[in-house]
Every structure is written in structure tokens, then in C-alpha cells.
């Protein structure tokens, strides 16, 4: 049995739907006090109530002032911060030949700059915790695999891991661990938006023959947040039903 994380203060960015909402539900179910963030107020209100989160903060991760407001809300409403799940992200697709400067800025601004700003804003609270945990939601796309239309997205997700490795070193003396979960294809509102053909093609490429659930990502994050995971830092956990393993489509069987 792992030591309970009941009562720990947790922030999940992008918790208004999808994986973030699943992470919030898993942590709240384990007795943690959770604040979710996002930009859509109606979705935030509904997600806070459905997941059992303590509340929500409207914030855009790409804006430094918003990230600082999230940290201030954690201090005021949770009394501090023990676990930060940096999950907010977007995955619009565009082939390299068609990518605009705006496309690149939007994806890197949210996924990569947003991760850095979020962690940076929460640092004082995580240091004060004495057992701070940072869990980044990266992806298999970029760090391990590639997919047409996602040069910018893959770069942002691989970039999160570059950030993680140095952050893990800088923060180790403060007892803060920094790790990443790399989801494969997880059934979320965002993924459904990519269309039925994409989802069917992906499901056929996964040895377990199903998409992952948001709770399966939540449980990997929960493990990294435990006291027992306190000596793991700068590492990744792939949660993908075996998707990165086949050498050819025939290997999936
Ligand atoms: P989703 O269903 O589209 O949900 C995205 C969440 O991020 C929403 O809560 C959204 O909230 C929030 N968000 C987006 N831009 C934001 C911004 N600028 N500031 C604050 N919040 C923002 O996506 P998902 O599938 O759950 O993906 C979540 C994370 O997992 C992403 O980082 C994604 O790259 C990663 N991932 C997903 C999959 C997958 O298969 N689903 C696979 C690998 C990695 P608002 O709309 O309220 O702002």
C-alpha cells in the first residue's frame, strides 16, 4: 500500500475536460484537495463539481500573469501546493509545408511555454511543501513517435522533456521531483475532435485494441505524486496500451 495523499493540495491545469478532468477525479477520489484550471468557465464549473475538486481558476497557461494568479489561488484557497499536474495542451494539426507562424506560436506557446510558466509560478509553493511533485503530461508524439501534421506539436511535447530534465536537477535539492507521463491515444473530447477515421486508425494500431481512459493517465500521475515515488525524478512513464511497440502493422496481429 502507498501512503495516502489525502489532504494534499493539487493543481491540475486544463482540468475542464479530457485527461486533466480525469486526473482531477483520480486525485480528488484519493482525498486530495484539487484546483482545476482552464479558460471555459461553464466547463470548469461542471468539471469541478463532477470530479469533486475544491474549485477552479480561469487561467490561460500561455500568460505569465494567469499562471501567477493560479499559484496565488492555490496559496489562498488550498493553503499551499504539493502537486502540480501541468496538463493543459492543444493539438491542432497542419502539415509542415502549410504551418503558419501563428500555428507555431500557438502550439509552442500553450504546450511548451505554458508548461514552463506554470511550473515557474508554482515554485515557491512547491518548495515550501517539502515534498513538491511536478507531473508533466507530455505525449508519445514527439518524444517517441511522429505523426503527419504534428511537427509543431511533437516539438512542443519533446520540448517538455528537455525542460523536465534540467528542472529536475535544479529542484532536487528542494525535494521537488519533476516527471512526465507520456499518453498514447486517450479517449477525450480533444481526441474525438480529430475525427472517426483518426480514432479508428489509432485503435487498430494499439496492441490492446482500445484507446486509453483518462483515469489510466490519472493513476500514473497519482503514483508519481506518492511519497513512495519520491526518489524518481526526471523520468517518463509511457501509458499507451503498447502502441509504441509494433515494428509493423502486422505485428499488432
Ligand atoms: P482536451 O480534451 O482538448 O482538453 C484540453 C484541456 O486543456 C482543456 O481542459 C482546456 O481547457 C485546456 N487548455 C487548452 N489550452 C489552454 C490554455 N491556453 N490555458 C489553459 N488551459 C488550456 O485535450 P486532452 O486530450 O485531454 O489532452 C490533455 C493533454 O494531454 C494535452 O497536453 C495533450 O497534449 C496531452 N495528450 C493527449 C493525448 C490524447 O490522446 N488525448 C495523447 C497524448 C498527450 P479550456 O478549453 O477550458 O481552456
Amino acid at each position: 500500500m502507498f501512503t495516502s495523499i489525502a489532504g494534499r493540495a493539487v493543481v491540475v491545469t486544463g482540468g475542464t475536460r479530457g485527461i486533466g478532468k480525469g486526473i482531477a477525479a483520480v486525485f480528488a477520489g484519493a482525498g486530495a484537495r484539487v484546483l482545476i484550471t482552464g479558460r471555459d468557465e461553464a466547463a470548469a464549473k461542471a468539471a469541478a463539481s463532477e470530479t469533486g475538486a475544491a474549485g477552479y481558476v480561469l487561467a490561460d497557461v500561455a500568460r505569465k500573469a494567469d499562471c501567477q494568479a493560479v499559484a496565488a489561488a492555490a496559496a489562498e484557497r488550498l493553503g499551499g501546493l504539493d502537486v502540480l499536474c501541468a496538463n493543459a495542451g492543444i493539438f491542432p494539426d497542419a502539415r509542415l509545408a502549410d504551418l503558419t507562424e501563428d500555428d507555431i506560436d500557438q502550439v509552442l506557446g500553450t504546450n511548451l511555454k505554458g508548461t514552463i510558466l506554470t511550473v515557474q509560478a508554482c515554485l515557491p509553493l512547491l518548495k515550501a511543501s517539502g515534498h513538491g511533485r511536478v507531473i508533466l503530461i507530455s505525449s508519445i508524439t514527439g518524444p517517441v513517435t511522429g505523426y503527419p501534421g504534428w511537427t509543431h506539436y511533437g516539438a512542443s511535447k519533446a520540448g517538455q522533456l528537455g525542460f523536465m530534465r534540467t528542472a529536475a536537477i535544479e529542484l532536487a535539492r528542494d525535494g521537488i521531483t519533476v516527471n512526465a507521463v507520456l499518453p498514447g491515444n486517450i479517449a477525450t473530447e480533444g481526441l474525438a475532435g480529430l475525427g472517426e477515421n483518426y480514432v479508428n486508425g489509432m485503435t487498430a494500431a494499439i496492441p490492446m485494441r482500445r484507446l486509453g481512459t483518462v483515469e489510466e493517465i490519472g493513476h500514473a500521475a497519482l503514483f508519481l505524486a506518492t511519497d513512495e515515488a519520491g526518489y524518481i525524478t526526471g523520468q517518463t512513464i509511457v501509458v499507451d496500451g503498447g502502441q509504441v511497440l509494433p515494428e509493423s502493422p502486422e505485428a499488432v496481429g
Side-chain angles (χ1 to χ4, degrees), residues 13-20 37-41 43-44 59-62 86-91 110-111 137-141 153 157 160 182-191 214:
T13 68
T16 62
R17 61 184 202 164
I19 289 174
T37 82
R39 297 160 304 167
D40 177 339
E41 179 148 35
D60 182 340
V61 291
N87 162 78
I90 54 172
F91 36 89
T110 302
N111 297 358
I137 304 304
S138 173
S139 178
I140 57 170
T141 310
Y153 176 74
K157 292 285 145 179
Q160 286 180 304
L182 278 54
N185 280 269
I186 309 301
T188 66
E189 294 87 334
L191 194 86
V214 295

